[in-house]
Amino acid sequence: MDLHFGDCKPTDEEREAVDALLGPPASAWEGGAERGEADLRWAVGGRAARERRDLLLPALHAVNDRTGWISEGALDYVCRRLTVPPAEAYGVATFYAMFAVRPRPATVVHVCTDLACAVNGSAGLRAGIEERLGAAGMAAGGVTWQPSPCLGLCERAPAALVLRAGEPAPAPGTEGPSDGRGALRRRASAVVAPATAEGVASAAGAPEAAPSEPSAAMAVPQAGQDGLILLRRVGVADPASLDDYRAHGGYSALRRAFALGPAGVIREVTDAGLAGRGGAAFPTGRKWQATAAQPDHPHYLVCNADESEPGTFKDRVVMEGDPYALIEAMTIAGYATGAHRGYLYIRGEYPSAVARLEHAIGRARSRGFLGDDVLGQGYAFDIELRRGAGAYICGEETALFNSIEGYRGEPRSKPPFPVEKGLFGKPTAANNVETLVNVGPILTMGAEAYAAIGTESSTGPKLFCVSGRVARPGVYELPFGATLGELLDLAGRPESLRAVLLGGAAGGFVGPDELDIPLTFEGTRAAGTTLGSGVVLVIDDTVELPRILLRIAEFFRDESCGQCVPCRIGTVRQEEALHRLLDRGGAGAAADVALLREIGQAMKDASICGLGQAAWSAVESAIDRLGVYGTPVYGTPQQGSEAGQGPRGDT
Amino acid sequence: MTAVPLQPPRRLIEFSLDGQDTRVPEGSTILEACRAAGKDIPTLCEGDTLTPKNACRVCVVEVEGARTLAPACSRRAEPGMAVRTDTGRARHSRKTVLELLASATDLSTTPRAAEWIKEYGAEPGRFGTDAARLNEEPKVDNDLYVRDYDKCIQCYKCVDACGDQWQNTFAISVAGRGFDARISTEHDAPLTGSACVYCGNCIEVCPTGALSFKSEFDMREAGTWDESAQTETTTVCAYCGVGCNVTLHVQENEIVKVTSPHDNPVTHGNLCIKGRFGFQHVSQR
Ligand SMILES: Cc1cc2nc3c(=O)[nH]c(=O)nc-3n(C[C@H](O)[C@H](O)[C@H](O)COP(=O)(O)O)c2cc1C
Ligand code: SF4
Ligand code: SF4
Ligand code: SF4
Ligand code: FES
Ligand code: FES
């Protein structure tokens, strides 16, 4: 590569932010300020120069975290340090919603406009914020605000997130810099939910002083109840304490794993019938077996904690409430699949989960639960945490690999599947957070006892994210097989139930007469709908359904990576048609519904990934099952129109 | 006796193409099999010198048992696979993709677009008059070539040709996301401030005319561009010892643009700035 750099220089602050991550530059060729004698004989090229590309996303974060945006000089400096062509880095920086390449204030307020928040008054909240902070995107008093897709705080909707760029906070117990720079702006974040306009405005002014978030247990109405399996430690054990985790049964599963050996672990997971909880319900045992069997090395493990599906927040609650459970499960998964490195990819909008897991990983490492010799068993495993930067599509596993590798988060076409060529082109097992935290109980209770929970084809416990118009929103754990009605009874159903959205924006609506649908993979499939990621968004007759549909369409238009035509342009045409439908009815409506069906069919058939393939499923279900726009309600829902998030069979 | 270099032997695999038993060398794409069988599948992002991004989705075919359609240009034929190229589902997606593209971009200089639109009965107008379009102004920032992204279908070919598939210059990339994604230099700088070395290999691969010679762009603006009046002469570039083949496109005794044959073993269609753009001296200018 013959890289060409402009002559923009980074500011001292930008340079410092990047150097804090990458260390000082080794040479002027790498962007060092002074050209020394050694630079005359300095060369680094080929593989060595390119193989740090995966630090691009962390480096862009470093700059954005410090100054609030990514200037030309800073981007150039990052590119020099990592041997990345500036045009490509620009393509990456502009891919993510949390980065800006134009100057903006240090404080950015993200105000959720998505489904649960829309149902719970985000429109009024936005109006109030506009009064106090000006129009969206305006810079006033060092603050700007912008509408945001689901922040994963749906149980406390409406929600807002305040992010302020600045110097990193000093490590606990150490003094701040004494050179008079203590007064500098410090990096801070605040979650405001449920949000009021005053609450958001005051948190925007002083995020470090905002009231702290309620503990994760507050999102679990069943917290502390007997019989919970996945949520048993949430609200019971101290999420900051490794010892408390161990006192509550932690790390006994890993010991059992070492006793069983990798093949034994895979056998247990297979016999337990564990199916992926990330949306596609792929059998986890088969995925692990296929990865473990690959002759190519190294193998990687990826934990998908991107969780950006509107209405989903279970992974956040698990990570905040029981972080060591995920670390232990990743270690077991790594051991079973023959990986020595696990990547934990958490969405950038989850500052508390990131902090919790950073802390827990550090603790586990210092106590020998991660590292060169885990538990003295001669197995080396470590976890690298990566932060997303605002892109729903990065939850798609191959897009996630690209994102980690420092490329645009565009899905790759399959085949080849990740088990064969995944992260860095190597065999990779990618699993959802909830899938992984099932592995501990499987090993401690044994495959047979685990498989006895739930139904024959959907085994084990399942987490459901209940939000919208219910009395007690939150994460519920139920054995597979409970009906939708039973779940709604737990959460407190509204008086005039209008519809339930199952599986999130990529899922589908069911009507109030369908509450006996069993919450299993096979039961929802038989009913022509999907469980997806476990979203149960409840809507009553105070909610204008066409507006919700429009928001869903807007979401997909915003979040399409733009790679393939059916999705890039199809989602725009879908949104336009839904806009027209909002404004008019009658004959025009029928024509637009027909148009939607045609575009939807092509999106479903010809898109590269599950985003485009599912972008029309919720709207389709609202037309067919709820009769929105006065279209005929079909007697039997279309069979086989499974609107799973991920492509079926995506090992 | 001349030695004929032998390719490593390739096994043949057997699969069914529109009901016909078909044998192709292992590793062949469905598209290659279709072409060998004389079937004409529309393609846009596929190119003979590049690994396709399979982003346009205009070549989709139905693979029996699969939940979604498959891009013929990229999906490899597998033993026992049953492929149908002309089903209602496949044709519907191709038609819709053509409609979507034509409604958002200017396909007037895309070879064969009009023919396919007719063949598939696509009606780009049916999305209404206020359907969002790219609406880009042509970028004329240097004397050699023009970027008219209103015509860009984002096939990624130019990015691949500029990047690791051919030129290794990496001057352009896709920036932004979704409908707002555009081919761009870093910080959207003009080409003259970018890493571009003006090899013009991106123009060579662009399937829509979004990238064109300044000479062609000017003549089109003036209404004097007339392909039917042009002759093409392939000769050897006289600048350096590499010996690239150049094809001179001549209209009224003036060279109007230069391409390079893709099947030429020296260039595979690639040239450098001199061979591609250094033709004015021939006309003594
Ligand atoms: C557009 C899109 C978004 C996705 N988002 C997520 C996500 O946020 N979290 C997740 O675990 N899986 C997500 N998936 C599914 C993953 O691609 C993949 O199937 C899953 O992580 C595999 O893990 P599992 O087998 O444990 O379910 C998404 C898929 C698509 C198509
Ligand atoms: S379907 Fe949408 S998100 Fe997926 S690859 Fe295509 S454009 Fe990107
Ligand atoms: S400019 Fe041409 S080659 Fe490049 S992406 Fe657009 S259409 Fe493809
Ligand atoms: S095109 Fe460039 S490299 Fe090829 S022969 Fe001409 S001057 Fe040499
Ligand atoms: S946080 Fe607003 S919808 Fe999820
Ligand atoms: S030609 Fe096959 S997807 Fe574009």
Side-chain angles (χ1 to χ4, degrees):
Chain A
M1 271 190 274
D2 170 26
L3 297 188
H4 173 279
F5 298 103
D7 38 19
C8 289
K9 294 274 173 286
T11 63
D12 288 346
E13 200 184 18
E14 289 162 346
R15 188 184 283 273
E16 200 179 287
V18 176
D19 290 353
L21 176 79
L22 302 175
S27 142
W29 299 101
E30 260 201 344
E34 302 276 309
R35 185 162 295 217
E37 184 83 352
D39 287 332
L40 295 174
R41 282 174 292 281
W42 193 83
V44 59
R47 205 191 156 95
R50 286 194 304 267
E51 80 189 354
R52 298 208 298 168
R53 169 109 188 205
D54 70 297
L55 292 172
L56 180 58
L57 184 58
L60 294 176
H61 263 307
V63 174
N64 198 71
D65 281 350
R66 181 68 68 96
T67 62
W69 69 291
I70 298 164
S71 71
E72 261 186 270
L75 189 79
D76 237 34
Y77 184 61
V78 167
C79 289
R80 275 181 208 271
R81 295 298 316 272
L82 298 174
T83 321
V84 174
E88 286 195 356
Y90 182 70
V92 172
T94 53
F95 187 83
Y96 296 101
M98 292 172 79
F99 294 152
V101 293
R102 306 263 170 276
R104 65 172 175 186
T107 304
V108 181
V109 184
H110 301 260
V111 182
C112 180
T113 57
D114 236 315
L115 309 176
C117 291
V119 167
N120 286 306
S122 68
L125 175 66
R126 283 163 73 185
I129 291 175
E130 198 165 306
E131 251 169 52
R132 288 167 176 82
L133 302 179
M138 294 272 296
V143 175
T144 182
W145 76 275
Q146 61 191 48
S148 152
C150 176
L151 293 166
L153 298 161
C154 325
E155 86 280 11
R156 285 183 271 144
L161 172 68
V162 181
L163 296 175
R164 187 180 64 194
E167 294 244 317
T174 59
E175 288 298 311
S178 53
D179 52 0
R181 299 173 62 189
L184 277 181
R185 193 182 61 233
R186 291 242 171 260
R187 206 184 140 199
S189 63
V191 164
V192 196
T196 58
E198 292 96 82
V200 171
S202 83
E208 70 284 357
S212 62
E213 266 192 272
S215 79
M218 299 303 287
V220 180
Q222 300 161 307
Q225 273 177 25
D226 282 346
L228 293 178
I229 297 173
L230 304 175
L231 299 175
R232 71 185 182 287
R233 274 182 297 259
V234 177
V236 176
D238 175 3
S241 162
L242 176 55
D243 288 323
D244 214 26
Y245 175 66
R246 293 175 66 205
H248 286 89
Y251 278 109
S252 54
L254 181 58
R255 285 181 204 283
R256 170 112 204 282
F258 284 134
L260 288 169
V265 175
I266 293 177
R267 198 177 333 109
E268 286 288 291
V269 171
T270 309
D271 291 349
L274 177 62
R277 309 290 202 241
F282 191 83
T284 305
R286 250 171 67 200
K287 187 184 284 186
W288 288 12
Q289 175 59 42
T291 311
Q294 292 294 323
D296 193 12
H297 280 275
H299 293 182
Y300 289 108
L301 175 79
V302 168
C303 172
N304 188 344
D306 192 61
E307 190 167 65
S308 308
E309 177 66 42
T312 318
F313 47 96
K314 63 190 173 75
D315 295 346
R316 186 199 91 230
V317 170
V318 169
M319 287 190 285
E320 288 179 4
D322 197 6
Y324 291 101
L326 180 58
I327 294 174
E328 181 183 0
M330 285 181 70
T331 313
I332 297 170
Y335 177 66
T337 54
H340 295 287
R341 180 159 289 268
Y343 284 83
L344 173 53
Y345 189 93
I346 307 187
R347 70 180 301 202
E349 294 89 339
Y350 278 0
S352 313
V354 168
R356 270 266 175 272
L357 275 148
E358 260 169 1
H359 174 259
I361 290 170
R363 272 305 153 90
R365 199 179 282 140
S366 70
R367 299 272 298 271
F369 289 94
L370 288 175
D372 291 341
D373 185 11
V374 175
L375 284 182
Q377 296 285 320
Y379 168 61
F381 185 74
D382 216 326
I383 296 175
E384 203 161 310
L385 193 149
R386 287 304 171 90
R387 216 166 11 123
Y392 166 67
I393 189 59
C394 289
E396 199 283 337
E397 51 193 357
T398 60
L400 191 159
F401 302 152
N402 277 332
S403 177
I404 293 180
E405 290 178 25
Y407 294 90
R408 291 164 56 80
E410 293 171 348
R412 305 172 182 170
S413 58
K414 300 188 228 181
F417 292 100
V419 295
E420 205 186 312
K421 285 192 189 326
L423 186 62
F424 302 114
K426 297 294 179 183
T428 303
N431 279 115
N432 171 258
V433 172
E434 183 191 345
T435 312
L436 288 169
V437 295
N438 270 277
V439 172
I442 288 174
L443 292 186
T444 48
M445 70 170 68
E448 206 178 320
Y450 179 93
I453 305 167
T455 66
E456 204 167 312
S457 337
S458 301
T459 60
K462 174 78 191 101
L463 299 182
F464 295 97
C465 312
V466 187
S467 62
R469 310 294 282 181
V470 290
R472 290 171 296 281
V475 181
Y476 287 83
E477 175 181 326
L478 289 177
F480 271 116
T483 65
L484 179 56
E486 284 164 1
L487 176 59
L488 292 192
D489 286 340
L490 279 180
R493 71 171 87 176
E495 258 170 40
S496 52
L497 179 65
R498 167 97 210 257
V500 177
L501 178 62
L502 284 182
F509 288 96
V510 297
D513 52 342
E514 298 182 276
L515 296 186
D516 52 356
I517 293 181
L519 297 172
T520 58
F521 296 123
E522 66 279 10
T524 44
R525 198 176 309 148
T529 180
T530 178
L531 220 48
S533 51
V535 170
V536 176
L537 180 85
V538 181
I539 287 172
D540 66 8
D541 62 6
T542 62
V543 176
E544 284 176 69
L545 204 47
R547 288 223 167 265
I548 293 285
L549 297 186
L550 190 56
R551 172 57 212 162
I552 291 175
E554 219 177 81
F555 174 81
F556 284 109
R557 187 258 286 138
D558 281 351
E559 299 296 331
S560 166
C561 82
Q563 196 179 196
C564 63
V565 175
C567 175
R568 180 180 75 238
I569 309 177
T571 52
V572 173
R573 298 290 173 257
Q574 167 172 282
E575 192 200 344
E576 289 166 351
L578 288 173
H579 251 297
R580 288 194 295 269
L581 280 166
L582 202 59
D583 303 337
R584 69 156 189 244
D592 273 326
V593 169
L595 190 67
L596 278 168
R597 277 190 204 283
E598 288 201 25
I599 305 168
Q601 188 60 42
M603 287 200 281
K604 200 179 269 191
D605 274 346
S607 296
I608 293 180
C609 85
L611 186 145
Q613 288 158 13
W616 139 256
S617 70
V619 179
E620 181 184 29
S621 68
I623 293 173
D624 288 349
R625 304 172 86 116
L626 305 180
V628 68
Y629 312 127
T631 44
V633 180
Y634 292 161
T636 37
Q638 266 179 293
Q639 288 293 315
S641 68
E642 13 173 325
Q645 256 194 348
R648 217 144 271 277
D650 62 344
T651 23
Chain B
M1 198 178 86
T2 31
V4 179
L6 284 178
Q7 300 277 334
R10 284 216 278 174
R11 280 194 308 144
L12 290 182
I13 58 151
E14 235 175 285
F15 78 110
S16 144
L17 187 59
D18 289 331
Q20 297 264 277
D21 284 339
T22 307
R23 295 164 126 225
V24 289
E26 194 176 24
S28 306
T29 62
I30 295 173
L31 183 67
E32 284 162 346
C34 288
R35 286 186 174 158
K39 292 179 197 294
D40 181 27
I41 309 274
T43 58
L44 284 167
C45 69
E46 185 263 352
D48 52 357
T49 61
L50 297 164
T51 306
K53 183 81 172 168
N54 62 78
C56 79
R57 314 308 274 187
V58 78
C59 70
V60 286
V61 295
E62 196 162 337
V63 175
E64 208 167 86
R67 198 174 45 94
T68 56
L69 301 174
C73 64
S74 306
R75 179 61 62 82
R76 313 227 167 255
E78 291 164 26
M81 203 182 219
V83 176
R84 299 224 158 247
T85 62
D86 221 28
T87 61
R89 245 177 105 194
R91 291 188 69 93
H92 171 77
S93 277
R94 286 185 213 152
K95 162 181 168 269
T96 309
V97 162
L98 289 165
E99 279 174 340
L100 291 172
L101 277 177
S103 69
T105 45
D106 170 4
L107 296 184
S108 62
T109 51
T110 304
R112 299 201 66 188
E115 176 195 331
W116 290 327
I117 284 174
K118 198 156 158 234
E119 180 187 338
Y120 284 90
E123 297 167 54
R126 72 200 186 107
F127 301 119
T129 43
D130 38 353
R133 290 185 57 88
L134 263 59
N135 282 333
E136 296 280 313
E137 284 298 312
K139 290 185 193 300
V140 190
D141 54 15
N142 67 85
D143 288 338
L144 300 183
Y145 81 96
V146 175
R147 300 175 289 156
D148 184 358
Y149 290 136
D150 201 39
K151 294 178 167 175
C152 173
I153 60 166
Q154 278 158 64
C155 68
Y156 289 68
K157 276 187 186 171
C158 55
V159 176
D160 289 342
C162 185
D164 60 358
Q165 291 195 26
W166 282 115
Q167 183 65 25
N168 273 285
T169 289
F170 301 93
I172 46 176
S173 165
V174 180
R177 187 168 81 191
F179 196 73
D180 298 329
R182 295 287 186 276
I183 306 295
S184 170
T185 56
E186 71 270 22
H187 281 276
D188 213 6
L191 268 192
T192 46
S194 79
C196 176
V197 297
Y198 304 96
C199 62
N201 293 335
C202 54
I203 311 174
E204 182 79 46
V205 297
C206 180
T208 63
L211 306 178
S212 68
F213 280 71
K214 179 82 164 34
S215 48
E216 173 174 347
F217 180 82
D218 289 345
M219 288 172 76
R220 281 187 188 276
E221 293 274 282
T224 56
W225 181 260
D226 181 4
E227 234 148 84
S228 64
Q230 291 171 8
T231 59
E232 292 177 22
T233 309
T234 299
T235 177
V236 177
C237 171
Y239 276 110
C240 85
V242 171
C244 302
N245 272 27
V246 290
T247 300
L248 309 176
H249 297 242
V250 176
Q251 182 178 333
E252 285 168 26
N253 230 14
E254 292 238 354
I255 300 173
V256 290
K257 73 172 178 183
V258 175
T259 58
S260 179
H262 290 200
D263 57 0
N264 180 279
V266 178
T267 66
H268 295 284
N270 294 283
L271 294 171
C272 77
I273 180 172
K274 290 180 285 183
R276 180 84 66 192
F277 292 108
F279 51 75
Q280 271 87 353
H281 72 287
V282 177
S283 309
Q284 293 177 326
R285 273 191 273 137

